[in-house]
Amino acid sequence: MVEATGAPAQPELKRAIGPKLLLFFVVGDILGTGVYALTGNVAGKVGGALWLPFLIAFAVAFLTAFSYLELVGKYPRAAGAALYTNRAFKIQFLTFMVAFAVMSSGITSASSAALAFGRTYLQSVVKEFFSDTFTISATLVAVLFIIGLGAVNFRGVSESVKANVVLTCIELSGLVIVIAIGVYAVAVGDGDPGRLTQVDPAPGQSALVAVTSATALAFFAMVGFEDSVNMAEECRDPVKIFPRAMLWGMVVAATIYVLVAITSSLLIPADRLAKAGSSALLEVVKVGAPSFPLWVFSLIGLFAVINSALINMLMASRLVYGMANERIIPRAFGVVHPFRRTPWISIIFTSGVAIILVMTTDIAKLGGTTALLLLIVFTIVNIAVLVLRKEKADHEHFRAPTWVPVLGALSCAYLASPLSGRPADDYKIALYLLGAGVVLWGINRVVHGKTEFDAQKLAK
């Protein structure tokens, strides 16, 4: 088979993901680095009412999920938010920047997971089995970690999502351990329930801003559901299986998050959780169950951040592949390996960007930047779903109530704005990343000239 140009046609991506694998993909992508590495940072912003930002973040994400479900039902293709932006607004530069923002968010998320792997959970395991004098370079470990993820990604999507099932079960077991510790603490009368209603704003800050700034960071823990959209071309019957898998996955993850947050606040004061930082859950286990082998939970934490990073790198590489196919970036990024049937050039590119990030930034800033980028994108997606109502699909698909994307756009825009109390560093890193996108856009225009999107191809 050859294309009209006479060049050999690219092989299609392998449709290897069914409803159960997709559900595990969504749950596994949401659970992970956000709760395992940033619980302490969120507590430092809000105080003892740690569960509240996670609950609000879930509500905002849930609204946006309905918009994604309507759009993926109409257009079940890889590329996600960028494809929807292109169809709704037909502004090539905006489409490119949305694509670049989503790709950047996946890479920053994976990079934060790599740093949590090297600087927190691996260090805990090393201290348990070796003397404190034995040290390893956390940054070097994070770089090797990213390279390993790239190898798994190249191996194939079927292998990657099956690995995700195993890793999701492991990370889920760690959070169940934390919740069980909380149940036991309540049963024996330990913990301080009064902390659950305490909001401790910073000096000169209102309680509302304390909650919203914590929510703006906690939102990082709820992202991930949108990654599944970029796997649409590798799912069997995506129009049918997406709604149930995405919504149930989000409910399961949010319930676990709230229970973990309640347990953490019951057992440990907010200032102590904040001081622990990315080791907050290790501190919860240490206090709530002193006899529990800490190295076991550390190993679980390692697998949890591996899972988050693996799925985010999958998403980022597939997004680059999708954009290459839509001629928004050079076609070379859309090359599929003839034997593994994976987008190998996109995998190399996204892995390289992640390596640069782990060498230059810290976990909290990467988490905040990830949330900021996605909140901006989600605002655009919620508007796009309303604009695209004028386009009718030739098949049955999910349709969200009109008020849902409206409220979703407003809430996402607020959490992305300085009014929410978001720190300036998030905007600085985001501007650097998006600035790099502008440079790439300029290079693409100079080398390849102006390209027009193929609307008939997008409509297929």
Side-chain angles (χ1 to χ4, degrees):
M1 177 180 176
V2 291
E3 296 175 334
T5 60
Q10 286 289 324
E12 293 184 354
L13 295 176
K14 186 176 180 180
R15 293 189 178 274
I17 304 175
K20 292 181 180 178
L21 280 179
L22 183 60
L23 176 63
F24 270 96
F25 187 96
V26 175
V27 173
D29 199 14
I30 297 174
L31 299 179
T33 306
V35 70
Y36 274 93
L38 291 179
T39 297
N41 299 90
V42 175
K45 290 179 176 291
V46 72
L50 177 58
W51 56 274
L52 184 57
F54 286 107
L55 186 60
I56 297 174
F58 163 71
V60 174
F62 204 67
L63 291 171
T64 301
F66 279 94
S67 292
Y68 270 97
L69 288 177
E70 178 171 335
L71 292 169
V72 78
K74 290 177 75 172
Y75 317 111
R77 296 175 58 84
L83 184 148
Y84 312 143
T85 302
N86 179 54
R87 294 201 73 122
F89 307 108
K90 296 180 174 58
I91 302 173
Q92 193 175 16
F93 179 70
L94 178 61
T95 301
F96 175 82
M97 292 309 297
V98 166
F100 196 83
V102 175
M103 183 207 71
S104 297
S105 72
I107 297 174
T108 53
S109 180
S111 300
S112 65
L115 290 175
F117 179 94
R119 295 181 181 176
T120 300
Y121 290 102
L122 183 62
Q123 297 293 341
S124 178
V125 173
V126 168
K127 288 181 181 179
E128 184 70 26
F129 291 100
F130 301 95
S131 68
D132 290 341
T133 58
F134 181 81
T135 59
I136 54 177
S137 170
T139 302
L140 176 61
V141 169
V143 169
L144 294 175
F145 175 76
I146 293 293
I147 293 173
L149 291 177
V152 174
N153 198 348
F154 172 75
R155 174 70 182 171
V157 67
S158 179
E159 289 79 359
S160 297
V161 295
K162 287 175 182 176
N164 167 63
V165 171
V166 176
L167 293 172
T168 296
C169 291
I170 293 173
E171 69 182 351
L172 191 57
S173 69
L175 299 178
V176 169
I177 288 171
V178 174
I179 294 169
I181 289 172
V183 171
Y184 175 78
V186 172
V188 300
D190 291 338
D192 182 1
R195 282 199 288 262
L196 298 178
T197 58
Q198 293 176 353
V199 176
D200 301 319
Q205 186 182 69
S206 68
L208 175 61
V209 173
V211 171
T212 56
S213 64
T215 301
L217 179 58
F219 195 82
F220 171 60
M222 279 308 305
V223 301
F225 66 88
E226 83 289 346
D227 288 354
S228 60
V229 173
N230 293 295
M231 309 302 290
E233 289 188 54
E234 293 165 279
C235 288
R236 299 192 293 269
D237 197 3
V239 174
K240 181 179 179 181
I241 70 175
F242 257 89
R244 181 174 295 182
M246 183 181 288
L247 295 180
W248 273 112
M250 293 183 70
V251 169
V252 169
T255 301
I256 292 170
Y257 275 165
V258 170
L259 292 175
V260 168
I262 289 173
T263 296
S264 301
S265 287
L266 277 173
L267 295 178
I268 301 178
D271 57 348
R272 186 172 168 186
L273 286 172
K275 186 177 180 180
S278 60
S279 302
L281 292 191
L282 285 171
E283 195 70 17
V284 171
V285 173
K286 190 186 303 182
V287 171
S291 59
F292 187 88
L294 201 60
W295 66 269
V296 172
F297 190 82
S298 297
L299 282 177
I300 292 172
L302 283 178
F303 286 117
V305 297
I306 288 172
N307 198 32
S308 290
L310 173 62
I311 296 178
N312 276 286
M313 294 305 289
L314 269 171
M315 179 276 290
S317 61
R318 267 52 178 191
L319 178 54
V320 172
Y321 159 83
M323 288 297 93
N325 279 349
E326 303 305 338
R327 302 178 185 178
I328 299 172
I329 60 176
R331 294 293 297 271
F333 289 101
V335 173
V336 176
H337 194 274
F339 302 115
R340 299 312 311 170
R341 293 175 64 185
T342 51
W344 65 280
I345 293 181
S346 294
I347 292 169
I348 292 174
F349 172 73
T350 51
S351 298
V353 176
I355 288 173
I356 294 172
L357 286 173
V358 300
M359 296 176 67
T360 58
T361 323
D362 63 45
I363 296 174
K365 291 178 181 178
L366 286 170
T369 303
T370 302
L372 172 61
L373 290 169
L374 287 177
L375 283 164
I376 294 170
V377 170
F378 290 172
T379 302
I380 296 172
V381 168
N382 280 305
I383 297 171
V385 76
L386 297 172
V387 174
L388 289 171
R389 290 280 170 87
K390 62 188 179 185
E391 280 191 19
K392 304 300 180 184
D394 58 2
H395 57 271
E396 294 278 335
H397 65 87
F398 177 86
R399 181 184 170 97
T402 300
W403 64 268
V404 171
V406 172
L407 186 56
L410 292 173
S411 57
C412 287
Y414 176 77
L415 289 177
S417 74
L419 295 175
S420 67
R422 182 175 292 279
D425 283 341
D426 292 359
Y427 296 103
K428 290 179 182 178
I429 298 173
L431 284 174
Y432 289 144
L433 289 169
L434 295 179
V438 173
V439 172
L440 287 178
W441 167 263
I443 293 173
N444 190 50
R445 287 293 296 271
V446 169
V447 174
H448 299 286
K450 183 178 180 180
T451 58
E452 297 294 336
F453 294 113
D454 187 342
Q456 290 183 344
K457 180 182 177 184
L458 284 170
K460 289 180 183 178

